[in-house]
Amino acid sequence: MRVGLASGAAAVLLLVALLIGYGSFFTVYQTRQALVVRLGEPRRVITEPGLNVKIPLIESVIYIDKRILNIETPAQEVIASSGPRANAGLAQAGERLVVDAFARYRITDPLKFYQTVGPDGASTQLAILLNSALRRVLGAATLSDAVRNKREELMGLMRDQLDRDAQPFGIHVIDVRIRRVDLPEQNSQAVYQRMQTERQREAAEFRAQGSQKSQEIKARADRDVTVLLADATSQSEQVRGQGDAERNRIYADAYGQDPGFFAFYRSMQAYERSMQHGDTHLVLRPDSDFFRYFGDPTGKSLPGGPNTQAAAPAPGTSAAPNPSSASSTTK
């Protein structure tokens, strides 16, 4: 009986020893840091990973994340600066802006963090501080500054301010970023309408300038065409006059070299023009000079007819003797 009791007591003692031994050791991983608390009072902070010892049943371990953490806030409205607008038509002075931002932070002092906000209240407290930093920094900036001109500078100012406010809680703020900056919905349509009107005005101005340039180019082209045509016409008339003069000169030279052949050639042309097919009836005097080559191949005047030389055309003329010029009637 005593052996059984002894064995049971030994087993109980062994179990208690195991429980005490299990409760005396704890592990700190690389992503965590530990705060050892004795009866609610912080005793020590462990930041290095490894196996550590604590007093069982008296001391407890609170694990605090060692990684970079994220704090998100819903989009909120802030009032823009009353300074001059950087871009006309985008935002008016004092107009409300909808800002969406987030922050990245790390817990650097677990003891201070535990004593001030604790793991449950850190997100709420940081969200309040982030909203305050947003309002203070963006309240002195315009929409153009927040969107493009000074965006990086403004985010740096918010980070520095939030970091100063979070240091009493053992928190170091690494970065603050603005996701989006917009106008409230009730103002967006009016702003878009102003932008559309401005673009339409600029487009109309560009079209008017283009139309003016087009008219100037067309007028200049029409003037150039008129000048070119006038020059070409003048040159063509000059060339034509030179050609006529050259033709008359050649005719005169030919007539001077052989007047008889020239008179014969012109008479043949007159016969060809006056005696067309289907219309060869002529009423002329038989002894007319027009028929002198019919009676004599040499072209001498017919008995009683006019002088041959008088019938010959003058030098330089191009018209053949016209049968209608004689005292006759053509049928």
Side-chain angles (χ1 to χ4, degrees):
M1 186 67 179
R2 292 180 178 178
V3 175
L5 292 174
S7 300
V12 171
L13 290 176
L14 180 60
L15 180 60
V16 171
L18 291 175
L19 292 175
I20 293 174
Y22 180 78
S24 300
F25 297 95
F26 64 94
T27 303
V28 178
Y29 295 97
Q30 291 86 346
T31 59
R32 293 181 178 180
Q33 48 193 344
L35 177 63
V36 180
V37 180
R38 180 181 300 175
L39 299 177
E41 181 182 356
R43 285 296 182 177
R44 65 182 186 276
V45 176
I46 301 174
T47 58
E48 296 298 327
L51 185 63
N52 297 271
V53 180
K54 65 181 180 65
I55 301 174
L57 304 178
I58 297 178
E59 293 182 342
S60 60
V61 180
I62 298 175
Y63 294 101
I64 298 174
D65 207 323
K66 196 177 182 180
R67 296 171 295 182
I68 296 176
L69 303 176
N70 179 54
I71 178 65
E72 300 280 351
T73 60
Q76 57 181 319
E77 289 189 1
V78 299
I79 299 177
S81 171
S82 58
R85 289 175 291 172
N87 190 359
L90 287 183
Q92 296 180 352
E95 194 168 5
R96 294 180 178 272
L97 305 177
V98 179
V99 182
D100 184 11
F102 66 93
R104 299 284 188 266
Y105 69 95
R106 178 186 286 119
I107 301 171
T108 57
D109 192 339
L111 179 59
K112 189 180 295 186
F113 177 79
Y114 175 77
Q115 291 175 338
T116 53
V117 293
D120 297 333
S123 299
T124 303
Q125 186 64 37
L126 284 178
I128 296 173
L129 295 177
L130 178 58
N131 292 340
S132 176
L134 282 175
R135 294 180 183 279
R136 277 183 288 181
V137 173
L138 296 182
T142 62
L143 176 60
S144 299
D145 294 338
V147 171
R148 63 175 185 272
N149 294 340
K150 299 180 180 179
R151 186 173 184 134
E152 292 293 334
E153 181 180 349
L154 294 176
M155 290 189 294
L157 292 175
M158 286 189 291
R159 179 197 61 214
D160 296 340
Q161 182 173 327
L162 182 59
D163 185 50
R164 288 194 301 269
D165 295 339
Q167 283 181 0
F169 306 110
I171 296 174
H172 170 59
V173 178
I174 298 174
D175 194 12
V176 175
R177 289 288 163 179
I178 298 176
R179 278 202 191 98
R180 185 175 179 181
V181 178
D182 284 329
L183 294 174
E185 185 63 27
Q186 60 270 22
N187 298 340
S188 297
Q189 295 302 324
V191 172
Y192 296 153
Q193 186 64 34
R194 289 198 301 269
M195 294 173 64
Q196 182 178 6
T197 303
E198 182 67 19
R199 300 292 87 76
Q200 290 176 351
R201 184 191 63 78
E202 292 180 357
E205 182 179 353
F206 291 149
R207 289 192 186 98
Q209 293 176 357
S211 178
Q212 180 182 358
K213 292 292 184 182
S214 174
Q215 294 298 328
E216 292 177 356
I217 293 173
K218 288 181 180 179
R220 187 163 53 249
D222 292 341
R223 183 197 63 190
D224 294 342
V225 168
T226 303
V227 172
L228 290 175
L229 289 177
D231 293 342
T233 302
S234 175
Q235 293 178 5
S236 66
E237 293 296 334
Q238 292 178 2
V239 173
R240 187 177 289 108
Q242 293 174 358
D244 291 341
E246 183 66 18
R247 180 193 62 182
N248 293 333
R249 187 189 63 78
I250 293 173
Y251 280 155
D253 292 344
Y255 180 75
Q257 292 178 4
D258 193 348
F261 176 76
F262 188 78
F264 172 75
Y265 177 72
R266 297 303 299 274
S267 297
M268 293 300 104
Q269 288 182 335
Y271 296 155
E272 181 180 3
R273 293 177 181 176
S274 60
M275 300 178 184
Q276 299 294 331
H277 178 70
D279 187 15
T280 58
H281 294 82
L282 301 176
V283 180
L284 297 173
R285 291 167 52 90
D287 57 352
S288 172
D289 188 62
F290 183 71
F291 294 111
R292 66 182 180 272
Y293 287 101
F294 281 81
D296 188 353
T298 60
K300 294 180 179 180
S301 299
L302 297 176
N307 195 315
T308 304
Q309 296 298 329
T317 60
S318 59
N322 193 343
S324 62
S325 64
S327 298
S328 62
T329 302
T330 303
K331 292 184 179 179

